[in-house]
Amino acid sequence: MSNEQRIGARVLRRKPIDQLTHPGSELKRTMGVGHLTMISIGATLGTGIFVVLGEAVPLAGPAIVVSFILAGITALFSALSYAELAGLIPASGSSYSYTYATLGEIVAWVCGWCLVLEYGVSVAAVAVGWGQYVNELLHLVTGLRIPDVLSQPPGSGGIVNVPAVLVVVLSMLVLLGGSKGSARTNTILVWIKVGSLLMFCAVAFTAFKAGNMQPLFPLGLAGMSAGAATLFFSYIGFDAASTAGEEAKNPQRDLPRAIILSLVVITALYCAVALAAVGAMPWQSFEGTEAALSRVLTDNVSGAIWPILLSIGAVVATTSVVLTVLYGQTRILYAMSRDGLVPSIFARLSRNGVPFVNTLVVGSFIAILAALVPLGSLADATSIGTLFAFALVNIAVIILRRTEPDRQRTFRVPFSPVTPVIGLAFCVYMMFSLGLDTWIAFLSWMVLGFVIYFGYSVRKARLAVPRDQ
């Protein structure tokens, strides 16, 4: 057997599903369907609705409500595939583990490497946003702001972004306390931010004017579709529950339920908020508005208390996103470390079942990134990495239906393979709608990933090549 054949056999080897599920996992099973649903909502419902609405409304007009529905349906195709695989392969690695069982080790590595990019950059970007919300809340309450030198990174008028570091460190400390305590903290935060958005709807609907909704499609169907493409990224994060596969009490039953339920709740809440916002303020006024929801309340509703309460909700919302996405990052690295693709120190557990070195290293690195790097368009790399992982999950469903047709599934994607193919097509379309800078950053990250894989991971992986090959 030549060296080329040996390398080919190694990179294409697949890990059996029975090995991926790890029935004897040292992680503690403490989460029910409620906790899992809250993890997905916590990772998804945050900066998207508070920030991206101001960018999307000028593209779609009042049809932004329809845009949210279309974006939700787009996300649903991939969510159905995630639900099937989460019940079939309840492992901590999420889509990394799914591709290891279906597409081979090198594709699993690429998927895991994409998730590291997605989660890491996402946490840093949200942490920076958290600092901005804290500054806005401080200004509303006291009239003061944190000086730029302590709230902006180098190159943006500051030295270090202290608030961004603070929220990452606090989230890291919560995670080190154990998954049960982390899930409980996240559940409280999710209820607060859902309550703040429901409060926004109740207050904004008092200023609702039917004339603001006419015409419904001022920019045509193309505008509505453009708005949906922008809003799709508000749904990124629903897959976070799948990273808790080995900490769920009944993963085969609860993971599919949590993924689908969280997406339904998020879509309904997004549509209600969009309808209340556009009904209260003419859609043309959203142009150039970053804090769109705060602007709606400030300009169209009497009472200074409402923008303050909404800002508190925004701070809580972004805190929850940082906590849950940082959690997902550590669990994906845990799974990759256990497979030998990254150093074993990332799989070392504390007495309370937490990958503590993993959490410390990841949290510290992201805190430094959030403190010193003006992320800018690099944050779009979060989207492209996510879409790539979503695409692989849809492919994995199709493959496993052929290779493991008799394996018990607690949830089945309806109308397969048509539904996964549509989900795949949506992901590819969204990826190619992103800019050149994003593709350059993504491909550069992939090159670095291949250097690490062929320099370290391919030799250290614990999955051995069969001897007869």
Side-chain angles (χ1 to χ4, degrees):
M1 192 175 192
S2 67
N3 286 335
E4 291 79 7
Q5 289 174 321
R6 289 192 182 96
I7 293 175
R10 281 180 174 270
V11 302
L12 295 177
R13 59 194 173 191
R14 293 180 293 179
K15 191 169 185 180
I17 291 177
D18 292 333
Q19 291 185 31
L20 280 167
T21 52
H22 290 278
S25 173
E26 294 176 292
L27 294 173
K28 296 184 178 181
R29 296 192 178 277
T30 58
M31 299 187 192
V33 66
H35 289 137
L36 296 169
T37 303
M38 289 300 179
I39 287 176
S40 284
I41 295 176
T44 309
L45 189 64
T47 50
I49 191 62
F50 287 102
V51 176
V52 81
L53 190 67
E55 301 174 8
V57 170
L59 298 175
I64 192 66
V65 180
V66 184
S67 297
F68 265 118
I69 296 172
L70 180 59
I73 292 173
T74 302
L76 179 62
F77 283 104
S78 292
L80 292 171
S81 292
Y82 262 98
E84 176 168 328
L85 293 182
L88 184 64
I89 311 173
S92 289
S94 184
S95 50
Y96 155 76
S97 295
Y98 309 155
T99 51
Y100 211 159
T102 55
L103 299 171
E105 184 175 282
I106 191 168
V107 180
W109 167 262
V110 169
C111 184
W113 194 239
C114 285
L115 292 173
V116 169
L117 174 68
E118 170 201 343
Y119 281 67
V121 175
S122 175
V123 172
V126 173
V128 172
W130 185 88
Q132 294 171 348
Y133 285 128
V134 168
N135 228 350
E136 180 67 21
L137 177 60
L138 183 64
H139 178 68
L140 287 171
V141 175
T142 67
L144 303 175
R145 292 185 184 274
I146 302 173
D148 284 351
V149 69
L150 296 177
S151 62
Q152 298 292 338
S156 298
I159 297 177
V160 61
N161 191 330
V162 174
V165 174
L166 179 63
V167 70
V168 175
V169 171
L170 289 175
S171 298
M172 180 178 68
L173 293 176
V174 171
L175 291 178
L176 288 172
S179 60
K180 187 174 183 178
S182 303
R184 186 182 299 116
T185 300
N186 176 65
T187 298
I188 294 171
L189 295 177
V190 168
W191 279 116
I192 292 174
K193 66 181 177 181
V194 169
S196 69
L197 289 173
L198 291 176
M199 178 272 296
F200 168 83
C201 292
V203 175
F205 272 125
T206 63
F208 189 92
K209 299 179 181 65
N212 289 340
M213 300 298 297
Q214 299 173 354
L216 183 60
F217 295 90
L219 301 171
L221 293 178
M224 183 269 294
S225 298
T230 300
L231 293 171
F232 175 79
F233 307 114
S234 299
Y235 288 89
I236 290 174
F238 68 79
D239 58 315
S242 64
T243 65
E246 292 172 46
E247 291 163 280
K249 295 177 182 177
N250 190 341
Q252 286 85 358
R253 182 195 67 187
D254 292 344
L255 284 174
R257 292 181 180 181
I259 291 171
I260 301 301
L261 179 59
S262 64
L263 191 61
V264 171
V265 170
I266 289 164
T267 301
L269 194 54
Y270 280 169
C271 290
V273 170
L275 180 62
V278 178
M281 187 167 78
W283 67 271
Q284 298 90 338
S285 300
F286 283 82
E287 185 74 40
T289 302
E290 292 186 1
L293 300 187
S294 180
R295 170 80 176 276
V296 169
L297 296 184
T298 302
D299 294 355
N300 300 278
V301 178
S302 59
I305 188 63
W306 303 119
I308 293 175
L309 292 177
L310 184 68
S311 295
I312 293 173
V315 170
V316 170
T318 46
T319 303
S320 177
V321 174
V322 171
L323 178 65
T324 51
V325 177
L326 183 60
Y327 166 85
Q329 170 78 291
T330 61
R331 269 44 180 186
I332 289 166
L333 275 177
Y334 170 80
M336 296 176 73
S337 175
R338 189 172 53 189
D339 291 335
L341 299 184
V342 296
S344 60
I345 195 170
F346 287 101
R348 190 174 300 170
L349 300 179
S350 64
R351 290 183 178 179
N352 59 349
V354 174
F356 65 101
V357 176
N358 180 341
T359 304
L360 285 171
V361 171
V362 170
S364 299
F365 176 78
I366 291 174
I368 294 171
L369 186 67
L372 302 177
V373 179
L375 296 171
S377 62
L378 181 61
D380 284 342
T382 300
S383 301
I384 197 168
T386 304
L387 287 166
F388 188 81
F390 284 8
L392 293 178
V393 167
N394 283 296
I395 294 173
V397 167
I398 297 171
I399 292 176
L400 279 178
R401 285 290 186 95
R402 290 182 175 274
T403 59
E404 303 271 359
D406 298 325
R407 187 173 286 271
Q408 183 179 1
R409 290 165 170 81
T410 54
F411 177 85
R412 298 178 69 91
V413 176
F415 310 112
S416 181
V418 175
T419 301
V421 168
I422 294 175
L424 173 63
F426 273 127
C427 291
V428 172
Y429 170 76
M430 294 288 184
M431 287 179 69
F432 281 98
S433 69
L434 295 170
L436 179 61
D437 289 348
T438 302
W439 274 97
I440 292 174
F442 176 69
L443 294 176
S444 299
W445 181 255
M446 286 295 100
V447 169
L448 176 61
F450 282 123
V451 169
I452 295 173
Y453 177 76
F454 286 106
Y456 176 89
S457 305
V458 73
R459 295 181 291 105
K460 298 291 186 178
R462 294 198 176 97
L463 188 60
V465 180
R467 295 185 182 276
D468 57 357
Q469 295 182 347

